[in-house]
Amino acid sequence: MKLPEGVKMTPMLKQYGEWKDLYPDCLLMFRMGDFFELFFDDAVTASEALDITLTARDPDKAIPMAGVPHHALDAYMGRLIAAGYRVAICDQITEPDGKTLVERSVVRVVTPGTYVPQDAEGEGRLAAVYSSGDSVSIALLTSGTGKFEAGTFPRDEAVSLILAFGPEEILMPKGQEGDFIPMLSGEAGPRGKFAPVSRERGEFSPSYGADWLAKRWNISTLRAMGLEDADPAAGAAAAALRYLEETQFGGGGHVHEIRPIQPEGILILDHATQANLELVEAVGPSLYSVLNRCRTPMGRRLLKDWITHPSKSRDMIEFRQDCIEYLVSDNFPRKKLSAALSSCGDMERAVSRLAMKVGNPRDLGVVRDTLLSLPGVIEATSSSESEPLRSIFADVPDLSELRELLGMALSDELPRLLSAGGVIREGFDPELDASRDAITHAEENLKSFEASERERTGIKVKVGINRVFGYYIEVGKSFADKVPDDYIRRQTVANGERFVNERLKDIERRVYRAEHEISRREETLYKEIFSSVMASVAACQTASRAIATADVLSSLAEVAYDNSYVRPMIDDSRIFSVMGARHPVIERTHTTTPFTPNDISLDPDNANSGCIAVITGPNMAGKSTYLRTSALVAIMAHMGSFVPAEEARIGVIDRIFTRIGARDELSLGRSTFMVEMVETADILRHVTARSLVILDEVGRGTSTYDGMSIAWAVLEFLDLHVEGRTKALFATHYHELTDLSLPQLVNLSMAVDESVDGIRFLHKVVEGPADRSYGVEVARLAGVPNIVVRRSQEILDELERESLSSDRNLGAMSKKYAQKEIFFDVEREGVIEELSQCDPNQMTPMEALDMVFRLRQKSRGILGLK
């Protein structure tokens, strides 16, 4: 690091510069006493990002400086990481002695993908990608829980998986940035944008990666974990895990295994489908917000995982259903389980933080509290009459020894920092208790010393302590001539003088010695306890997963009970039959009006019935709700959850595809129509006979004939070109499509009640196509001025009378209307409306005269007359 001109190189600045040179791409947090300081450009950057004061170390202000208290480092760190910075923590590794320079060393590098805060949301999501031909290998590592997955996929599918994972940081080989950054830049998964990190290509070597991972976990082959050694994903996986250990200085001991992404038993929901269905939105209503009654953070994470990765294993689905059915049928065991779960903490995340060497005494406290609650949770499940529920904790190792240790060793209330003291419970360690007793007796000795000195000297002395000078005897000015000869002056204060003597020095030495012994002994005991927890990380993670499973099942049972959900029948057919289906989110968020249930019936196994439904009807009548209800019921059924319906039979589905809603991606140069076509193309390339396809208004983003022709061709493809018969719901405003003669098509529509007062949407799906779109009526309901509504109806009537021939003269129709006396003027419409609504038979002469004057004034104003 080059210093600014005129700045003197001190030993401390030299030390700072050496570490900064090793970590030039990081903000260097340099420990100095009770603060972590930043200097030069880092200080300027941090002061702006954190809104803290920028000071200077020298009078000429050539050395900018900004700092944060060491005890608040985690809070400030989160803000820097959120702003996209990497931070190197350079801590003191020797105690200051006031004589020599304190040794310092970078102890960890905090990056967006490895940051796991204690008191805030954030798990540290790290991805690694490696391109090989037409395929892309990816590894997905959740730093805060140790979940680690990898796999190799076609490029578009890999991108979708990365976006669904929502990494904060993505590692990519040097030279391949151009393959991925344009593809992902501007894209945001559920958790926002990512930070790209270039790494050497050799780090992504598949053969080296497979060998390194196998040695790390002491196994002969990755095949034991479901990943082939020859899979290029092994290289991406090794790069991700090495990066975690490199930045956390070996703190990756909580990552015990790797699993394939999308194993055979998972129903696939791509990124577009998850976004379209708003499954786990952080803000606003979502399927997650409806189903979440979890008592633990571990359960809440697992619930999100079940929602975004539903199972297609009948055994797993039925196992979960059996557990939920038992908990629904009997309130007592469900409430008993919920109560036991409520006292569990986030042990999964706590052991991960400890393994990453960023944990503190409070993380140990979370492990202790959860282990102390574990027997109650196990008892709540083991005493049930449900064999599946009892089996949840069958594989959890015995953690009673660790539970007993933590319960006996740790204080009830734990500080954030070990240095604050009070971590170890009184009565646990005789040596520590003896030192604490020495402090207690020292305080008694000080009081006794003060009393004896007053008696011996006849002076009203006061004994106290000062951070700089230590213990002192304070004597007021009025007693200055009575100070004994054995008093040694230490300090002059406003009210008198402060002294010490040999007896007070002896008390002080004993106190400082005891304080040092307390600190040393607590640190020793803490390290021993920490080591015991680290030896049980895998067992704690197993227990955490079991607690999370019980929590999610309890949550789903509570929701099912409160909302009258039913158990769906899951079989190996391809039937999708749901009677009285309700939208789980709308039903809970729109409580002022009852939800109108609908039947959904698609049967590809029956050659005599349609399995591709074309749904027509006006906007606001419930088409999109019907589509989303179908998809959400399918997802809930494959989670093992009960569903909002009267009855349901659902054959196992392999993928759910959706094309719903209108949005653009301008940062990628994609219009709304382009986004729609990209998502439609992905569906048509990957749909199978076991898929469920949800398409809403395909083709709306272009001209009428272009859009209709695309929608027409998509329907033909789904009907004629998918091997086997697939299930699809296709909502459209192109009424011409209802006349298509395709073997699997069936027409449905939204029922509308028409009367002289207008239309009323019944939100009911009926057989047959809609006879019209009711767009003009919807405009009226939306509050469009009546003059526009009436003119719209005139134009519609005239267009419907005209033929579809090319000689229709729209320009003449518009010119004819423009020559009328009344134009599109809301103010004029107001005058007309008021006049049309008055009843002369009900008005007094004075009221009529008043109206004439008022309307005359309005009319003159409209015409611009004074």
Side-chain angles (χ1 to χ4, degrees), residues 697-736:
E697 306 292 355
V698 168
R700 76 178 123 189
T702 186
S703 69
T704 301
Y705 292 126
D706 272 356
M708 186 172 67
S709 64
I710 292 170
W712 185 330
V714 168
L715 273 175
E716 286 184 338
F717 181 92
L718 292 173
D719 192 287
L720 303 172
H721 295 282
V722 177
E723 186 176 347
R725 290 156 55 90
T726 195
K727 301 180 288 291
L729 296 172
F730 191 104
T732 185
H733 275 101
Y734 298 128
H735 287 259
E736 295 84 350

Side-chain angles (χ1 to χ4, degrees), residues 243-437:
Y243 181 78
L244 175 68
E245 295 195 336
E246 172 189 311
T247 56
Q248 305 309 303
F249 288 65
H254 60 304
V255 184
H256 292 288
E257 61 180 3
I258 189 169
R259 294 295 179 192
I261 299 173
Q262 293 182 349
E264 194 60 32
I266 297 299
L267 186 158
I268 299 173
L269 303 173
D270 60 21
H271 170 62
T273 296
Q274 293 185 31
N276 288 335
L277 294 176
E278 299 173 336
L279 297 180
V280 291
E281 296 297 306
V283 179
S286 64
L287 181 61
Y288 168 75
S289 69
V290 170
L291 299 181
N292 177 29
R293 304 280 185 88
C294 294
R295 267 59 179 182
T296 72
M298 298 177 289
R300 290 190 281 273
R301 279 196 299 271
L302 184 62
L303 175 59
K304 288 181 180 180
D305 188 64
W306 283 14
I307 291 173
T308 55
H309 299 86
S311 176
K312 62 180 184 181
S313 163
R314 278 187 60 191
D315 290 342
M316 177 60 72
I317 294 170
E318 290 172 354
F319 169 85
R320 295 173 182 174
Q321 288 180 334
D322 289 343
C323 295
I324 293 170
E325 185 168 39
Y326 171 75
L327 293 171
V328 168
S329 65
D330 193 338
N331 281 337
F332 178 74
R334 186 177 73 250
K335 291 180 178 178
K336 181 180 179 182
L337 177 58
S338 294
L341 288 165
S342 297
S343 54
C344 293
D346 196 349
M347 182 166 68
E348 183 179 42
R349 180 166 157 154
V351 296
S352 295
R353 281 176 47 84
L354 290 165
M356 292 173 66
K357 302 178 182 179
V358 297
N360 58 45
R362 290 186 181 175
D363 290 301
L364 284 179
V366 170
V367 178
R368 174 202 58 194
D369 294 344
T370 305
L371 291 181
L372 289 174
S373 303
L374 182 59
V377 179
I378 294 176
E379 196 277 330
T381 57
S382 61
S383 62
S384 76
E385 298 175 6
S386 169
E387 176 60 34
L389 197 61
R390 290 200 301 269
S391 69
I392 292 175
F393 289 90
D395 296 330
V396 174
D398 181 12
L399 288 162
S400 57
E401 187 175 336
L402 180 62
R403 177 173 64 248
E404 184 177 354
L405 170 64
L406 296 179
M408 292 174 58
L410 299 178
S411 299
D412 292 335
E413 297 295 328
L414 293 165
R416 186 184 297 273
L417 300 175
L418 176 62
S419 58
V423 173
I424 305 301
R425 185 187 298 274
E426 289 187 15
F428 175 72
D429 181 69
E431 183 179 339
L432 179 61
D433 289 344
S435 297
R436 286 173 172 167
D437 286 343

Side-chain angles (χ1 to χ4, degrees), residues 127-132 135-141 148-155 157-159 161-162 180 213 222 225-228 230-238 258-263:
V129 296
Y130 173 72
S131 179
S132 177
S135 299
V136 174
S137 297
I138 61 177
L140 309 176
L141 173 59
F148 196 21
E149 300 174 301
T152 300
F153 305 91
R155 183 172 296 270
E157 192 169 349
V159 170
L161 287 166
I162 292 171
F180 297 109
L213 290 170
L222 295 182
M225 296 182 177
L227 193 70
E228 293 295 327
D231 191 330
I258 189 169
R259 294 295 179 192
I261 299 173
Q262 293 182 349

Side-chain angles (χ1 to χ4, degrees), residues 421-424 432 436 518-526:
V423 173
I424 305 301
L432 179 61
R436 286 173 172 167
I518 289 172
S519 177
R520 181 195 62 78
R521 187 59 182 163
E522 277 214 319
E523 184 176 352
T524 299
L525 293 171
Y526 180 87

